[in-house]
Amino acid sequence: MKLLRFGSPGAERPGILDGDGRLRDLSGFIPDIAGDALLPKNLDRLRALDLGTLPLVEGTPRLGPPVGRVGKLIGIGLNYADHAAETGATVPPEPVVFLKATSCIAGPNDALPIPRGSEKTDWEVELGVVIGTTAKYVPESTAMDHVAGYCVVNDVSERDFQMNRSGTWDKGKGHDGFGPLGPWLVTADEVPDPQALRLWLEVDGQRMQDGSTATMVYGVRFLVHYLSQFMTLHPGDVICTGTPPGVGMGQKPPRFLRPGQTVRLSVEGLGIQEQRTVGA
């Protein structure tokens, strides 16, 4: 299934794409795509629906993030060896974990604000993992049982704030709009191997990132297991699994975003995002 949320910010309604790619309204069956709606039994209820009987949504409404009320937006740093190399870092012996403020979450095509005083706002296409059942101290062998599905993430980062402002990475990761999700939450049954997905990003039509989740240092299964040793993962939590090479700070010379540019990105099978950068 391809689940999504549509409507104005803060008032999104749940939807689903039918077999012809048309948007159908799910609000008669679930209040939102959030929390317990992501439990396996409730996803099974949605699978059993005759989508042709659901109200058809006309036009092209705004798409919001495909998951509502995200409790934790968890980032994994330096999870592609070639990306670590381009930034001058070494591959960590364990996953680097940071949290992005949930207030940074945006729709896939919303405007992307460049923070005031920013000179190094950067892009990062990533595979997002959406948790479907509570995970605490889970073994690696059963970790995938806790995954509801996947989505595209742009882990937007302000590199100067991230690295030079006397703190952890969080200062450069949490500005409003720095966490576009979507367009869809694609359920796990439609992604047989999350470690075999192409992902790419373009700025003003120029391909900057072009990689594969096959080159992750730590894969999805391990990350769910690993994170559950340090924090309880709840339905609707989202894990941003790291980015392949081609970020702005890795260019020679470095290149960063400025207002008036267009960023497009995708993960294979999960849809396309497009953001226009604006001044905050």
Side-chain angles (χ1 to χ4, degrees):
M1 294 184 294
K2 293 180 174 65
L3 303 174
L4 63 154
R5 298 166 72 246
F6 63 96
S8 58
E12 292 94 347
R13 300 170 67 178
I16 188 169
L17 291 188
D18 66 19
D20 296 319
R22 296 175 298 184
L23 174 56
R24 301 281 181 166
D25 192 339
L26 277 176
S27 56
F29 290 88
I30 54 173
D32 200 359
I33 299 170
D36 287 350
L38 297 170
L39 293 173
K41 64 178 182 180
N42 292 325
L43 292 180
D44 286 342
R45 286 182 58 236
L46 297 182
R47 287 190 186 92
L49 293 174
D50 180 355
L51 299 186
T53 66
L54 299 178
L56 186 65
V57 180
E58 302 290 351
T60 54
R62 169 191 173 268
L63 297 184
V67 185
R69 304 196 311 273
V70 175
K72 291 188 288 296
L73 184 58
I74 306 165
I76 304 297
L78 305 174
N79 197 29
Y80 287 71
D82 36 12
H83 168 59
E86 74 173 345
T87 63
T90 57
V91 175
E94 295 186 39
V96 172
V97 178
F98 60 91
L99 296 176
K100 289 175 71 78
T102 54
S103 55
C104 84
I105 294 173
N109 305 316
D110 289 348
L112 173 53
I114 306 297
R116 295 179 184 179
S118 168
E119 295 183 356
K120 296 182 179 181
T121 296
D122 206 346
W123 56 82
E124 294 189 26
V125 59
E126 305 199 3
L127 171 67
V129 178
V130 181
I131 297 299
T133 61
T134 300
K136 180 64 174 176
Y137 295 126
V138 300
E140 191 172 351
S141 60
T142 61
M144 299 302 285
D145 295 343
H146 299 274
V147 175
Y150 304 91
C151 65
V152 182
V153 180
N154 190 357
D155 176 19
V156 186
S157 309
E158 211 298 339
R159 301 303 188 186
D160 186 55
F161 298 177
Q162 175 185 352
M163 298 177 176
N164 301 320
R165 295 295 295 271
S166 300
T168 60
W169 287 10
D170 298 21
K171 291 180 183 179
K173 296 285 189 174
H175 189 272
D176 293 355
F178 271 25
L181 306 181
W184 318 311
L185 187 169
V186 179
T187 51
D189 58 300
E190 294 193 7
V191 185
D193 185 359
Q195 305 307 148
L197 303 176
R198 181 186 174 210
L199 60 173
W200 56 263
L201 180 144
E202 297 174 347
V203 178
D204 291 338
Q206 181 180 357
R207 187 64 56 95
M208 307 302 295
Q209 294 184 273
D210 198 344
S212 169
T213 58
T215 64
M216 281 184 187
V217 178
Y218 302 106
V220 172
R221 180 185 301 275
F222 180 80
L223 289 174
V224 173
H225 152 72
Y226 182 84
L227 290 169
S228 78
Q229 311 305 306
F230 300 97
M231 62 190 80
T232 300
L233 303 175
H234 295 103
D237 287 349
V238 179
I239 304 168
C240 311
T241 57
T243 197
V247 299
M249 71 180 297
Q251 304 299 311
K252 300 187 186 304
R255 296 174 55 182
F256 297 107
L257 295 172
R258 60 186 186 279
Q261 295 186 287
T262 299
V263 181
R264 295 181 76 247
L265 58 148
S266 180
V267 178
E268 183 179 352
L270 306 185
I272 297 174
Q273 297 187 1
E274 181 172 315
Q275 296 114 29
R276 186 72 172 172
T277 57
V278 297

